[in-house]
Amino acid sequence: MSEEEKRLIVTKIKDGTVIDHIDAGRALYVLKILGITGEEDFTIAVVMNVESKRMGRKDIVKLEKMELRKEQVDEIALIAPNATINIIRNYRVVKKYKVDVPKVIEGLINCINPNCITNQKREPVRSTFLVKSLRPLILICKYCGEEIHHEDIIRQLTGV
Ligand code: CTP
Ligand code: ZN
């Protein structure tokens, strides 16, 4: 496919956020955690399975007019650890950064060990995970040492 043809599939946006380098197949999960339903009054472009030099195939989400909060970017990192966030103003990329999996993940994911202190009704302890491995993503419960793997993390965050 020529560069021109590629550009026609993915037109540039004027103002907003482009989430690029999402692992192929995960764009819909990213929309889900951002709470995007398609009923918004701004344009949303979702491009799935496009060729990427770096990743083989990748997904891209373009959100016109929308900027992301830090907590949203952290959740995107847990879904798509290779993603790049591009802030667009007047057609230009004015800021570009890679998402970063937070070192400590608090209150976002439940420990899957039913005996963990974070799952005891009488002991209201906030779930806390540390990063055991980045690729593949594996988190480890600070309290009981239980591991949680990427598919389960995604399942919990998106509720699918
Ligand atoms: N983009 C866009 N609208 C703009 C500018 C950029 O939708 N007005 C998109 C591009 O299509 C691309 C992403 O934002 O998906 C990043 O743009 P750019 O930095 O120009 O592309 P690359 O150099 O290919 O980025 P990288 O080096 O991060 O792969
Ligand atoms: Zn635990």
Side-chain angles (χ1 to χ4, degrees):
M1 195 165 28
S2 71
E3 287 305 313
E4 181 58 29
E5 280 173 308
K6 279 186 204 160
R7 272 198 291 277
L8 288 175
I9 295 179
V10 201
T11 59
K12 292 205 177 278
I13 61 171
K14 183 169 187 283
D15 293 291
T17 303
V18 175
I19 310 165
D20 199 356
H21 305 113
I22 300 169
D23 304 76
R26 302 224 175 106
L28 296 179
Y29 298 140
V30 170
L31 293 180
K32 185 101 200 251
I33 58 160
L34 295 177
I36 289 170
T37 61
E39 313 243 325
E40 291 73 20
D41 57 0
F42 52 85
T43 302
I44 298 143
V46 182
V47 188
M48 299 182 79
N49 277 322
V50 286
E51 278 174 49
S52 154
K53 284 189 199 97
R54 243 193 286 163
M55 304 173 68
R57 301 218 159 232
K58 67 172 181 181
D59 290 357
I60 308 170
V61 169
K62 301 193 182 195
L63 307 164
E64 280 220 285
K65 308 274 181 326
M66 189 169 162
E67 297 209 353
L68 303 177
R69 285 178 281 112
K70 164 97 169 73
E71 307 87 77
Q72 292 176 310
V73 175
D74 285 350
E75 283 196 49
I76 292 170
L78 291 169
I79 303 268
N82 303 309
T84 316
I85 309 291
N86 298 273
I87 311 293
I88 315 292
R89 299 252 165 75
N90 202 18
Y91 292 103
R92 300 204 164 178
V93 178
V94 294
K95 193 170 168 206
K96 181 193 288 281
Y97 61 94
K98 287 202 67 145
V99 300
D100 215 0
V101 175
K103 287 198 167 51
V104 182
I105 297 107
E106 265 186 349
L108 268 182
I109 297 160
N110 297 323
C111 183
I112 51 181
N113 169 9
N115 298 321
C116 180
I117 191 168
T118 60
N119 287 323
Q120 307 312 312
K121 285 209 173 61
R122 285 164 193 279
E123 306 253 6
V125 177
R126 215 165 131 85
S127 77
T128 307
F129 286 87
L130 306 173
V131 179
K132 182 175 186 202
S133 150
L134 268 178
R135 290 182 181 78
L137 185 62
I138 303 171
L139 305 181
I140 186 160
C141 175
K142 179 179 148 186
Y143 295 100
C144 74
E146 183 81 28
E147 289 181 2
I148 179 160
H149 291 239
H150 204 183
E151 313 79 71
D152 281 332
I153 296 166
I154 292 175
R155 213 171 291 138
Q156 281 206 28
L157 289 173
T158 60
V160 294

